[in-house]
Amino acid sequence: MSATMNGKPLLETKGVSKSFGPVQALTKVDFDVYPGEVIALVGDNGAGKSTLIKGIAGIYGFDEGDVYFDGKKVSIHSPREAAALGIEVVYQDLALADNLDVVANMFLGREWTQGVPSTTGAQEATTGLRKYLRNLLPLTEIDMEKRAVRTLDELAVTTLRSVRLPVSSLSGGQRQSVAIAKAVLWNSKVVILDEPTAALGVAQTRQVLNLVRRLAEKNLGVVVISHNLHDIFKVADRITVLRLGHKVTTYIAKETTEQEVVHAITAGQLTRVPGMTQ
Amino acid sequence: MTDIIQESDESVQSALLASQAPQSPAEYLNAMWRRIRSGDIGTLPIVLGLVVIAIIFQTANQNFLTPRNLVNIVIQMAGIAVIAYGMVYVLLLGEIDLSAGYVSAVGGVSAAILLRDSLMNPSLAWIDWWNVIPIALLITTAIGFLHGFIITSFQLPSFIVTLAGLLAWNGVVLMIVGDGGTVNIQNPVVRNLASEVLPPIWSWIIIGLFIASYGVLDFMTANARRKAGLRAKPTPIMIGQLVIMAAIGAFVAYIFNINRALTSAAPPQQGMPVIAVIMLVMLMVLTFVAERTRFGRYVYAVGGNKEAARRAGIRVERIRVLVFMVSGLMAGMGGIILASRLKSVATDAGGGNLLLYVIAAAVIGGTSLFGGRGKVVSAVLGALVVASVENGMGLLNVSSGVKFVVTGLVLLAAVVIDALSRRGQQTGR
């Protein structure tokens, strides 16, 4: 799948490090995501996967190193800034409000209202008093529902009976699909999925993996964190292995084996091996 | 690149198609029935409860269902319902406001004291009903802000902070009124707020407007949805609902307009109480805010999943403070209504079982104590139940001991129904 690697990376970290007090969670990690590819991020517990993702998502800053987005150096200080660039994270707990319906969840925090032109971006142009008044303007439910349905349709999420059902009534796979659809609703360019298939049944896992593949087909850069190598080999184009805060290597999925990746995860092979990209 | 894994079911229609499929009235009712069975029972128990209450008290005392007594119940429930509007917002967050009773008393006593002083102190002569009410509401809203500010900045449970508020504001009321004293309200407007009635024709106009605006909105929404290619409420269902509402509305207007005077020699008493109009208008405004605006959506979101709301960029702490301000505002309004009903504010204002009646009203009406589920209208329905029980037992001359026990049991039943319906929703997954 090296074809997808032509062109420039969408997202790139160069030598990023992060420590929490005495604990060095991440040490000089280079990581890149190309458009139209699924890259898996694997490693044992404490390898630094979450730290890397949270840094990219703006939950906290890196201590050193640079982040480039679309070739430009950026500094991301909050999830909002990450979203404004087009980076969306789907966390393992999905962050859905069970009591709200599918549409309300997909638009949560960015609802369209009357009197203000609908924007697709995460950032809002309105400022000052109007920004506050907007919270009391009528929501444009019909526009939001149309958009939500269209997005679900583009992703071929077919199992929802209605987008007006509360999320509490959905299955695990449907919830994951809604969370992913929510992430791509905003013309995002990079979608990061944290353990998207954990706690899903066989059929639902398949559903979600197909969805992940479709994101890449739409030319998004997709990062998947997972412990399940079986799933990863089904969807990933490249596999980056982290161990104890260091990047071990990046494999091309087609040119490596599960054994090799397991070995890298547990033994941390830091020398050059066949299949390495750098 | 196509699907690398075979799609499990090719025949499933797309979300778009599913959402466009027109729904027949039968399918609509079917879906409704499924919702009820899965635990989303809405206002169903309360309607049944009201019927039971009406039958029990009417058999015990023939005066219960007289127009005179029904209007009494409306006046009795107004204060509770208005305070409970605010409580619904607080409960939607998954919080509680135990201070609402005494904050309402602060609102009532502020208005009463200012009005009294304006009669004696020439420099306060500018005070009249139209500015004293906003002042009192400003005070109670500020109290709500204070509670919310303390809760969010020190990350304390609202239960504890508002419990402290319950004690402290009780003390403030005592200090203002003075031991054993009573502040009478002379101002005619504030005095008659709870007892004034409109000319009979207005019962028809107001209830008619209310139902007509509901119907027009309903039809417009359905039309717009159909135009946009989305599933809309079937027209026969809308017409059916409207007919039922119109029948109930006409019956209520008819009851309001029956002469309630005890003797035929007395001047006629008929018409809709002003307080009922106020209750209705507030219901519409607060329902709109809760269900049709971003602010309301955020209240539900914070109550449903605080972390999800935070990650969606919602300023959770700000929403919480604002909701406690809404609670303070509504408490103040309720306090003025209660003061008007008694035409005075005494040292026991806001005490007794007011707070429990308010919480009971919201919960009985179907608002969950666990946050995220409920409607503003539940405050009115619950207050109707609470006021009916209180009123009916008053007619039966039972001791206050029995009253408390019965109200407690009604509240318990409501909470049990809430818990059971929650369990139903979870297993319905």
Side-chain angles (χ1 to χ4, degrees):
Chain A
M1 246 149 291
S2 49
T4 56
M5 298 205 25
N6 292 337
K8 287 214 167 88
L10 260 176
L11 177 73
E12 208 176 357
T13 70
K14 283 191 178 158
V16 292
S17 301
K18 176 74 187 175
S19 60
F20 298 100
V23 181
Q24 187 73 25
L26 215 54
T27 314
K28 295 197 178 302
V29 170
D30 297 338
F31 178 67
D32 49 12
V33 186
Y34 287 81
E37 74 160 349
V38 177
I39 180 162
L41 197 54
V42 298
D44 221 335
N45 292 335
K49 305 179 302 259
S50 297
T51 311
L52 180 60
I53 292 317
K54 285 180 176 162
I56 294 171
I59 307 276
Y60 38 62
F62 292 116
D63 297 338
E64 58 170 333
D66 298 318
V67 180
Y68 295 84
F69 190 83
D70 255 344
K72 285 188 287 282
K73 191 175 158 184
V74 291
S75 51
I76 303 166
H77 300 292
S78 73
R80 283 229 142 170
E81 288 180 30
L85 285 172
I87 302 171
E88 293 278 344
V89 187
V90 179
Y91 291 97
Q92 195 175 349
D93 59 8
L94 302 182
L96 298 173
D98 270 359
N99 57 332
L100 298 180
D101 64 31
V102 173
V103 180
N105 264 294
M106 285 175 68
F107 278 85
L108 192 58
R110 304 183 252 199
E111 292 82 359
W112 291 342
T113 59
Q114 265 170 31
V116 186
S118 298
T119 50
T120 48
Q123 289 261 320
E124 288 178 7
T126 42
T127 49
L129 192 62
R130 283 185 59 193
K131 197 175 118 195
Y132 294 106
L133 282 179
R134 193 173 176 191
N135 291 325
L136 291 174
L137 290 176
L139 299 171
T140 47
E141 292 284 0
I142 291 175
D143 293 346
M144 288 195 279
E145 186 168 335
K146 269 164 71 181
R147 177 62 184 275
V149 166
R150 210 180 72 208
T151 303
L152 288 166
D153 229 34
E154 282 169 7
L155 296 174
V157 176
T158 52
T159 57
L160 287 178
R161 195 148 30 90
S162 157
V163 287
R164 286 300 179 188
L165 284 175
V167 165
S168 63
S169 66
L170 304 185
S171 72
Q174 288 173 328
R175 293 157 69 89
Q176 185 74 49
S177 302
V178 169
I180 293 173
K182 175 185 179 183
V184 300
L185 185 64
W186 305 99
N187 294 336
S188 44
K189 293 175 179 149
V190 174
V191 176
I192 301 168
L193 306 168
D194 188 4
E195 294 284 1
T197 56
L200 292 187
V202 178
Q204 296 186 342
T205 298
R206 196 163 57 183
Q207 208 178 34
V208 169
L209 291 182
N210 276 336
L211 183 49
V212 170
R213 233 15 274 181
R214 271 192 291 273
L215 297 182
E217 282 167 37
K218 284 163 69 78
N219 221 30
L220 272 67
V222 185
V223 183
V224 176
I225 300 180
S226 181
H227 278 104
N228 189 331
L229 288 182
H230 187 66
D231 288 352
I232 282 174
F233 271 88
K234 271 186 189 156
V235 290
D237 299 310
R238 293 191 300 147
I239 301 169
T240 291
V241 182
L242 294 180
R243 184 164 184 270
L244 299 174
H246 294 265
K247 180 167 115 172
V248 180
T249 184
T250 297
Y251 294 105
I252 290 173
K254 281 197 171 162
E255 298 168 9
T256 186
T257 60
E258 281 196 31
Q259 287 88 334
E260 199 173 16
V261 174
V262 169
H263 186 73
I265 290 171
T266 51
Q269 192 161 345
L270 284 159
T271 51
R272 277 190 77 85
V273 287
M276 272 180 67
T277 55
Q278 313 169 343
Chain B
M1 177 150 189
T2 51
D3 283 359
I4 47 168
I5 304 139
Q6 197 112 73
E7 198 66 67
S8 54
D9 187 357
E10 304 271 341
S11 65
V12 184
Q13 29 176 217
S14 73
L16 191 67
L17 285 174
S19 72
Q20 276 178 329
Q23 224 178 354
S24 75
E27 281 167 345
Y28 183 87
L29 292 175
N30 216 346
M32 204 160 105
W33 175 238
R34 218 180 306 132
R35 273 208 305 279
I36 290 171
R37 284 219 338 220
S38 74
D40 189 4
I41 42 180
T43 52
L44 200 65
I46 201 152
V47 175
L48 297 176
L50 280 171
V51 172
V52 172
I53 288 168
I55 292 172
I56 291 175
F57 286 119
Q58 180 65 16
T59 17
N61 187 320
Q62 294 297 312
N63 288 325
F64 185 71
L65 288 181
T66 55
R68 185 185 179 80
N69 196 49
L70 290 177
V71 171
N72 272 343
I73 292 176
V74 170
I75 293 169
Q76 269 176 309
M77 71 181 268
I80 298 170
V82 169
I83 304 173
Y85 286 153
M87 191 63 76
V88 167
Y89 273 78
V90 176
L91 292 179
L92 280 176
L93 279 186
E95 314 259 355
I96 195 144
D97 187 352
L98 297 179
S99 69
Y102 285 113
V103 171
S104 82
V106 171
V109 80
S110 308
I113 287 282
L114 284 170
L115 286 171
R116 186 191 66 186
D117 289 358
S118 72
L119 297 176
M120 301 183 280
N121 188 341
S123 69
L124 289 175
W126 53 275
I127 284 178
D128 202 346
W129 68 271
W130 56 268
N131 51 33
V132 85
I133 292 177
I135 291 171
L137 296 184
L138 212 61
I139 292 171
T140 57
T141 308
I143 292 173
F145 172 78
L146 183 68
H147 291 160
F149 180 75
I150 294 171
I151 289 164
T152 52
S153 30
F154 299 104
Q155 309 227 0
L156 296 169
S158 54
F159 183 88
I160 299 299
V161 173
T162 57
L163 184 62
L166 180 150
L167 278 171
W169 300 115
N170 185 10
V172 169
V173 171
L174 288 178
M175 286 191 290
I176 297 178
V177 179
D179 282 337
T182 300
V183 185
N184 290 315
I185 298 173
Q186 311 280 334
N187 184 292
V189 176
V190 177
R191 213 179 139 83
N192 294 332
L193 189 67
S195 52
E196 191 72 44
V197 292
L198 296 169
I201 183 72
W202 282 98
S203 308
W204 295 103
I205 295 174
I206 287 166
I207 292 176
L209 271 178
F210 180 71
I211 293 170
S213 55
Y214 176 88
V216 167
L217 269 176
D218 217 24
F219 272 96
M220 274 169 54
T221 309
N223 232 347
R225 288 183 64 87
R226 220 166 277 136
K227 237 193 210 156
L230 298 170
R231 177 181 289 173
K233 211 194 243 183
T235 312
I237 295 281
M238 278 191 294
I239 292 172
Q241 282 178 339
L242 216 56
V243 168
I244 294 171
M245 277 182 76
I248 295 172
F251 182 69
V252 171
Y254 171 74
I255 296 284
F256 278 146
N257 287 356
I258 294 174
N259 187 0
R260 302 188 282 273
L262 283 176
T263 59
S264 49
Q269 290 176 15
Q270 57 188 136
M272 188 175 185
V274 174
I275 204 71
V277 183
I278 294 176
M279 216 162 36
L280 215 54
V281 170
M282 283 185 173
L283 171 68
M284 291 198 288
V285 172
L286 290 170
T287 299
F288 169 79
V289 170
E291 293 177 19
R292 294 275 172 269
T293 69
R294 278 184 163 189
F295 173 71
R297 179 66 47 87
Y298 295 169
V299 172
Y300 280 92
V302 172
N305 186 343
K306 200 181 278 182
E307 192 49 37
R310 201 187 307 278
R311 287 205 208 135
I314 296 169
R315 293 192 174 83
V316 173
E317 309 308 332
R318 188 180 291 173
I319 298 290
R320 292 170 76 197
V321 173
L322 284 168
V323 164
F324 278 95
M325 289 169 74
V326 171
S327 181
L329 176 68
M330 287 298 115
M333 197 63 230
I336 292 168
I337 291 170
L338 291 171
S340 165
R341 210 181 109 206
L342 297 175
K343 307 198 188 309
S344 67
V345 178
T347 44
D348 63 349
N353 38 21
L354 176 63
L355 172 70
L356 280 179
Y357 278 180
V358 167
I359 296 173
V363 174
I364 291 170
T367 294
S368 173
L369 281 170
F370 307 98
R373 288 202 305 128
K375 286 181 171 209
V376 179
V377 73
S378 65
V380 178
L381 295 169
L384 184 56
V385 170
V386 169
S388 301
V389 172
E390 157 124 330
N391 173 289
M393 287 189 297
L395 287 181
L396 298 183
N397 255 331
V398 298
S399 68
S400 37
V402 176
K403 264 191 198 176
F404 286 1
V405 171
V406 172
T407 313
L409 289 177
V410 172
L411 175 60
L412 189 65
V415 180
V416 169
I417 291 171
D418 175 36
L420 287 179
S421 75
R422 264 169 60 87
R423 198 183 302 163
Q425 283 204 326
Q426 267 153 11
T427 49
R429 205 180 260 179

